[in-house]
Amino acid sequence: MPVIAHRGASEDVPEHTLAAYEAALLQGADGLECDVRLTADMQLVCVHDRRVNRTSNGRGVVSTLELAQLRQLDFGSWKQPASESESEYAEYPDLRREGAHRVLTLERLLELVVDHPRPVQMAIETKHPTRYAGLVEEHLVALLDRFGLAHPRLGETSPVRVMSFSAMSVRRIRRLAPSLETVLLLDRVPLRLRDGSLPRGVRIAGPGIHILRTHPEYVERLHSMGNRVHVWTVDQATDIDLCVELGVDAIISNRPKAVLARLGRDGTAHPAAARPGAAGLNAESPESFRFP
């Protein structure tokens, strides 16, 4: 069950920074998840919100700012670790180096992935609505093509998949790069998809963990239709156990190190997560459980 770092190791390190993704790889994450937006000068940057206000020391809408302007901002100081001794900076002090908390371009993140000594999956989410509409997907596929990731050779697969809550965005990717896997993200399940089916050409569903808590049978319905299930955002012990019990195909988490520990991939496993079908047995509540 691959563990994908949501915006990097964003529980420990400021989200969408190079430091957050380097930390996730050091923790052993199988893949990295990022959100992408276009700047005013048509550069793809890894920023979740429409505005930079929450995650930087600046203000403004990403799509109205040029990359040079974004590079003047600090995207790291807003997040302070609860304890310096418990933070990833204590174990990996190099994460604090100059530039590690500046705005991250998708190009730089892809360089990190392709240069890494082990295979790393990439889950790229296109953010919509945006003033640039289909230009987001066009620039994304063009950039992936520069790295040889958009159109894999026959018999090969790209480590990249493109995700979106927008069905239109997913359709654009299918048209521009038919070989790329796409994920339809779901905050709720439309009536027409409750039988486990997905839009034409999409083989991976991305439901929020809140959907599985309420409707755990949805995973079996998706699998019965030949689809896979990648779940976001799975941070709590009981949710990890639920994903194991249901047999989901990938976990997306802000806490990749803690999830890997719960799954026993650090050499230890909680009994409830170690045995398929045992989720919830003797499992602590999310409030009381403390990850190693």
Side-chain angles (χ1 to χ4, degrees), residues 41-62:
D41 51 345
M42 298 291 107
Q43 301 298 310
L44 285 165
V45 292
C46 302
V47 180
H48 177 272
D49 299 357
R50 177 174 172 267
R51 296 178 175 271
V52 300
N53 303 30
R54 177 178 66 88
T55 56
S56 82
N57 61 345
R59 302 182 65 83
V61 177
V62 175

Side-chain angles (χ1 to χ4, degrees), residues 38-280:
L38 273 176
T39 64
D41 51 345
M42 298 291 107
Q43 301 298 310
L44 285 165
V45 292
C46 302
V47 180
H48 177 272
D49 299 357
R50 177 174 172 267
R51 296 178 175 271
V52 300
N53 303 30
R54 177 178 66 88
T55 56
S56 82
N57 61 345
R59 302 182 65 83
V61 177
V62 175
S63 61
T64 65
L65 299 170
E66 294 189 352
L67 180 58
Q69 294 173 288
L70 290 169
R71 281 178 166 158
Q72 299 304 310
L73 304 179
D74 179 351
F75 280 81
S77 60
W78 66 274
K79 183 179 178 67
Q80 299 297 328
S83 167
E84 188 71 22
S85 63
E86 296 177 359
S87 76
E88 293 305 300
Y89 298 116
E91 187 172 358
Y92 313 119
D94 190 49
L95 296 178
R96 281 199 184 278
R97 72 184 184 281
E98 178 68 25
H101 289 161
R102 297 300 175 184
V103 69
L104 179 63
T105 64
L106 180 60
E107 181 179 14
R108 179 66 187 92
L109 182 56
L110 290 173
E111 289 174 351
L112 178 69
V113 169
V114 299
D115 291 340
H116 199 69
R118 61 177 171 84
V120 177
Q121 301 176 29
M122 272 290 295
I124 302 174
E125 180 184 345
T126 59
K127 303 301 291 184
H128 288 280
T130 172
R131 71 183 64 208
Y132 297 126
L135 287 177
V136 174
E137 287 75 29
E138 290 180 15
H139 281 267
L140 173 57
V141 171
L143 179 59
L144 292 174
D145 203 25
R146 282 173 45 196
F147 284 85
L149 299 172
H151 305 284
R153 297 176 182 176
L154 186 64
E156 298 180 354
T157 57
S158 173
V160 174
R161 53 185 173 269
V162 180
M163 315 189 299
S164 188
F165 287 98
S166 167
M168 178 63 73
S169 174
V170 170
R171 284 198 293 272
R172 292 188 190 115
I173 293 295
R174 297 294 300 172
R175 175 176 55 83
L176 294 167
S179 298
L180 283 184
E181 290 191 317
T182 52
V183 183
L184 181 63
L185 296 172
L186 299 166
D187 190 50
R188 62 178 184 83
V189 183
L191 183 61
R192 70 183 186 281
L193 301 181
R194 291 181 185 176
D195 62 351
S197 61
L198 292 173
R200 180 179 172 183
V202 181
R203 305 308 307 228
I204 307 175
I209 186 62
H210 59 282
I211 295 175
L212 270 57
R213 293 185 195 127
T214 308
H215 301 287
E217 72 281 358
Y218 184 53
V219 173
E220 184 177 355
R221 292 178 185 175
L222 286 162
H223 283 162
S224 71
M225 291 286 190
N227 298 316
R228 285 172 284 159
V229 186
H230 294 186
V231 185
W232 57 273
T233 305
V234 183
D235 291 339
Q236 302 297 340
T238 50
D239 289 336
I240 300 166
D241 296 347
L242 177 63
C243 287
V244 172
E245 178 184 18
L246 298 177
V248 307
D249 301 285
I251 285 177
I252 302 171
S253 176
N254 297 312
R255 311 174 72 186
K257 180 167 65 174
V259 175
L260 289 165
R262 185 75 174 180
L263 296 176
R265 291 178 52 191
D266 67 340
T268 63
H270 187 277
R275 303 191 307 277

